[in-house]
Amino acid sequence: MFRLKLPTDPRWANIAEGNLEEILTDHAWCEQKAATNAITLITMLPEYPEIITELLAIAQEELEHFGMVHEIILKRGYTFGRPRKDDYVNDLAKFIVQGTRAEYIIDRLLFAAMIEARSCERFRVLTEYIKDDELREFYRELMISEANHYTTFIGFARQLGDPETVNARWEQWLEYEAGVIASYGKRETIHG
């Protein structure tokens, strides 16, 4: 579906499961950042009320996910840690074009779509390879949500720009992301 060029090595699930407290804290903060990203996009698109409505729903859903992960952390007696720096996301952000307002907005939407695509793919790996039944089911549900967010963001990019140009730019994003993700997958973080 996403056509990611480099799939996650299933052994990453073992790394993640080796420190569930860390992966859950990192995941919670990823959800908070995703909500913030949707709100940032809202501020960039005031002239598109139908897009704002969808982005608002995404922001609310991401905050609900934050709450769900936080609840699991508390239920398991883990300590909810401070926000984590997401090097993967920071590396992706370097690829956002700084051209015209329209080009920048479309690239911000593709940036969001890429993060959702990779998160969905990582959640799929967790559902297939971790032994924890509760988390396996939890990540299966979130995987579906992340796929919907990916579809929404890439759909908005195609709506706001020339679809062929957007598709060509998406191919560039896929190539760039493959180079970025090649150095990740060795830490107990969602994108690490």
Side-chain angles (χ1 to χ4, degrees):
M1 174 179 180
F2 310 121
R3 296 186 2 258
L4 296 172
K5 304 286 186 188
L6 185 62
T8 296
D9 185 325
R11 292 176 290 185
W12 169 79
N14 297 330
I15 295 168
E17 196 164 27
N19 191 347
L20 290 176
E21 184 172 7
E22 180 61 28
I23 195 79
L24 288 167
T25 292
D26 182 70
H27 177 197
W29 287 114
C30 286
E31 296 292 355
Q32 180 274 325
K33 291 170 192 168
T36 300
N37 184 59
I39 292 166
T40 299
L41 285 167
I42 287 170
T43 67
M44 298 168 68
L45 297 163
E47 65 271 33
Y48 297 100
E50 68 286 352
I51 292 178
I52 289 174
T53 300
E54 289 291 322
L55 290 171
L56 181 58
I58 289 172
Q60 290 170 329
E61 187 173 6
E62 299 289 16
L63 278 178
E64 287 173 16
H65 294 167
F66 176 87
M68 293 164 67
V69 179
H70 186 253
E71 188 176 307
I72 291 170
I73 290 168
L74 295 178
K75 184 174 90 176
R76 291 180 176 222
Y78 295 154
T79 301
F80 181 57
R82 295 197 175 277
R84 306 314 199 239
K85 182 179 171 190
D86 193 329
D87 293 327
Y88 166 80
V89 170
N90 291 334
D91 286 345
L92 284 184
K94 295 172 187 172
F95 196 62
I96 298 172
V97 298
Q98 301 297 317
T100 66
R101 177 177 182 267
E103 290 169 333
Y104 178 72
I105 289 171
I106 288 168
D107 243 32
R108 279 296 303 253
L109 289 164
L110 295 177
F111 165 75
M114 182 57 71
I115 294 167
E116 297 289 345
R118 181 56 71 182
S119 297
C120 180
E121 190 259 357
R122 287 285 170 101
F123 293 167
R124 182 192 55 75
V125 170
L126 290 173
T127 66
E128 291 177 1
Y129 294 100
I130 64 172
K131 297 172 184 72
D132 187 300
D133 290 335
E134 177 190 23
L135 290 180
R136 192 169 50 244
E137 185 56 35
F138 176 67
Y139 281 112
R140 182 173 288 110
E141 291 173 20
L142 289 187
M143 177 181 67
I144 295 164
S145 176
E146 301 296 308
N148 289 335
H149 296 169
Y150 154 80
T151 302
T152 300
F153 287 127
I154 205 161
F156 288 157
R158 290 176 179 141
Q159 176 183 336
L160 296 176
D162 171 63
E164 286 185 30
T165 303
V166 170
N167 289 341
R169 181 63 178 155
W170 180 245
E171 288 300 321
Q172 294 171 349
W173 270 100
L174 289 167
E175 289 296 329
Y176 180 77
E177 194 270 351
V180 168
I181 200 68
S183 61
Y184 291 92
K186 300 164 185 75
R187 296 187 356 225
E188 58 276 291
T189 61
I190 293 298
H191 301 122

